[in-house]
Each structure stands twice: as C-alpha cells, then as structure tokens.
Amino acid sequence: MSIELPKPIADYVEANAQLDVDGMLKPFAADAVLLDNGKPHKGHAELRALFEDEVIAVKAIFTPDTVRDENGQVVAEGPAHGDFKGSPIRFTYRFTLEHDAIKALEITL
C-alpha cells in the first residue's frame, strides 16, 4: 500500500484484502460502532455478522487511495471491488481511533 495509515486501520485494510474476518475484527474496540450507510452495528458480534454477510460473501475488498485527518477522524477514500453489482464502487471510510483501536467507523458512498 502506498499511503500511510495508522496501524489499526492498516491492519483492518490488510485483513480485508485477505478476506480474514478475525483479522478484520481485531483492530476494533470491543464496543466499537460501525455505521454502514446509516445502519449501526455495535460490538464484535454484530460486526462479525456484517463482515460475513456484506464483505466476505461478496469478496468486497476496500483499497484506500487517499487518506486525510478531518476533525480528529482519519478519512480514507477509495474503491471497493468484489462480486457485487456496480463493482468497483468508491467509498469513504471515516475512522475514529481511541487507545490504538478503531472505536467507530462510518462507511458512505
């Protein structure tokens, strides 16, 4: 990867590239919240279900090509490709980090 990401985010992106659910979950805080197009998922159990149903099932891999700090959040943008309609689709991921973990993630188109 050519862009510099904070370690928890880099770990998440790398695990996603391998379609590794356990690796994708590891950088998230136990009580993390992921907002996926407006729908909240909280905690590892809900995140695991989301990743299995919406990422692994369609082999969706997010490849950030830009990253910036915005109001204390790390904003990564880039395409996701996989076996889904419209692939690749460009997404914006807004990460909130706390204690070297992902505390919150908002995913939007």
Side-chain angles (χ1 to χ4, degrees):
M1 179 178 318
S2 61
I3 60 173
E4 186 75 22
L5 294 169
K7 183 166 175 24
I9 298 170
D11 290 349
Y12 166 78
V13 169
E14 177 60 30
N16 173 231
Q18 304 300 318
L19 295 172
D20 172 5
V21 174
D22 290 330
M24 290 170 65
L25 281 171
K26 191 174 181 181
F28 283 87
D31 61 347
V33 176
L34 189 157
L35 198 60
D36 184 26
N37 288 314
K39 184 175 181 205
H41 305 271
K42 184 173 183 179
H44 280 198
E46 288 185 23
L47 294 182
R48 177 179 293 280
L50 174 70
F51 293 157
E52 289 174 349
D53 295 345
E54 302 292 331
V55 177
I56 306 303
V58 297
K59 299 178 178 73
I61 297 174
F62 175 62
T63 309
D65 56 21
T66 65
V67 64
R68 68 184 180 277
D69 182 67
E70 190 174 285
N71 300 322
Q73 292 182 312
V74 178
V75 180
E77 296 176 317
H81 65 277
D83 297 334
F84 54 88
K85 186 178 180 177
S87 174
I89 298 174
R90 191 161 182 85
F91 287 92
T92 299
Y93 282 44
R94 294 179 182 278
F95 294 92
T96 301
L97 301 178
E98 183 177 279
H99 306 299
D100 293 324
I102 301 169
K103 181 69 173 173
L105 169 56
E106 180 181 4
I107 302 172
T108 56
L109 292 176

